[in-house]
Amino acid sequence: MAIKKIGVLTSGGDGSGMNAAIRAVVRSAVSRNLEVAGILRGYEGLINSEMISMNHRSVSNIISRGGTILKTARSERFMTEEGQRQAVEVIKDHKIDGLIVIGGDGTYRGAHILSTKWKVPCVGVPGTIDNDLKGTDWTIGADTAINVALEAIDKIRDTATSMERIFVVEVMGREGGFIAIEVALGGGAEEVVIPERKFDVQAMCHEIVEGNIRGKISWIIITAEGAISGQELAKQITDITDLETRVVVLGHIQRGGSPTAQDRNLATRLGVAAVELLLKGESDKAVGIVADNLNVVSLEEALKPKPVKGDELYRLIKITI
Ligand code: F6P
């Protein structure tokens, strides 16, 4: 079936660079004389038939903007058979021949169901700060998130050093420690706690006390939200060492900000690749970049666990403190 019209949506947690990906999808589709429907609010908006017609101009001046002009949501309704049926009806009513979905694991799961169960051609573009999708070295938004977090950690270091304090900094990562381990290494943190590695609070406290005896008086400890919360970790450190500990939860600032060059260019490469893949008649696939080359995997493969380099990077963190 020749593709004449495509739909594009962003779903799940937003990440910086999603707009650059939307821009690339729209402009490459328009250059191939395709019609483009921008679906608002992810799968939820699809069910509700919230759509805008997009052209070259619709994506002017968004390459540098964080967030997503199409808005995003997490849809409970799309998890149900009834929600999916409604979404498929909307796709048919609008004569959409294929979908490009930009998002993380939940977005990919939705696209996998749409393509396999409901026979709607779908291609996934990896957009999540978590960098937890296989088939790509980096997901769109991850580089900006770690740079935003690093900037904050650098500022925390200024006050930590001046006031000779222990700071626990909680970063995002419910399931994985990608952001935590990257910013710990880049920010010169003394310790990091991630879900993928066992951690021993007693040993950490022993190291702090010993370090303080040697004259080391400021500490930056990073924790991924899914390992242990910043509040809880700080409480445990204070209970054991009797040292005052401050907590900073970086939270959603990690999802905002103007995308880095890496995220913009990744998004542009992958947005164009996704359109080209759909035009080749492919479906149930995800695009990515591995070792600087375009890579295509099945959505199912992309959803398999992606290990972080926890041990390797942790070793470097400990060698360089
Ligand atoms: O998946 C992206 C992410 O930012 C995670 O790192 C984080 O745990 C979660 O989303 C937060 O979700 P919400 O914005 O719904 O609170």
Side-chain angles (χ1 to χ4, degrees), residues 73-92:
R74 301 189 201 275
S75 177
E76 293 284 330
R77 276 199 295 163
F78 191 72
M79 312 278 218
T80 66
E81 171 106 10
E82 187 44 34
Q84 291 162 17
R85 193 182 306 282
Q86 283 176 28
V88 174
E89 261 169 38
V90 171
I91 289 170
K92 283 192 186 141

Side-chain angles (χ1 to χ4, degrees), residues 53-54 62 170 206 258 278 303:
S53 171
M54 299 187 88
I62 65 167
E170 181 190 305
H206 180 73
S258 181
L278 259 190
L303 283 164

Side-chain angles (χ1 to χ4, degrees), residues 126-198:
T128 165
I129 65 166
D130 297 334
N131 200 19
D132 57 354
L133 293 170
K134 279 194 90 178
T136 191
D137 290 340
W138 286 83
T139 55
I140 299 161
D143 187 59
T144 305
I146 59 181
N147 278 291
V148 165
L150 262 188
E151 211 181 308
I153 290 163
D154 289 348
K155 289 174 180 149
I156 292 165
R157 181 171 293 285
D158 290 344
T159 176
T161 316
S162 304
M163 294 201 70
E164 307 184 320
R165 272 177 169 159
I166 306 170
F167 271 84
V168 172
V169 182
E170 181 190 305
V171 296
M172 278 187 169
R174 271 192 295 228
E175 316 281 337
F178 166 77
I179 296 176
I181 199 98
E182 290 284 335
V183 299
L185 185 64
E190 280 73 24
E191 261 298 347
V192 57
V193 187
I194 58 172
E196 293 89 345
R197 290 191 91 254
K198 265 176 59 185

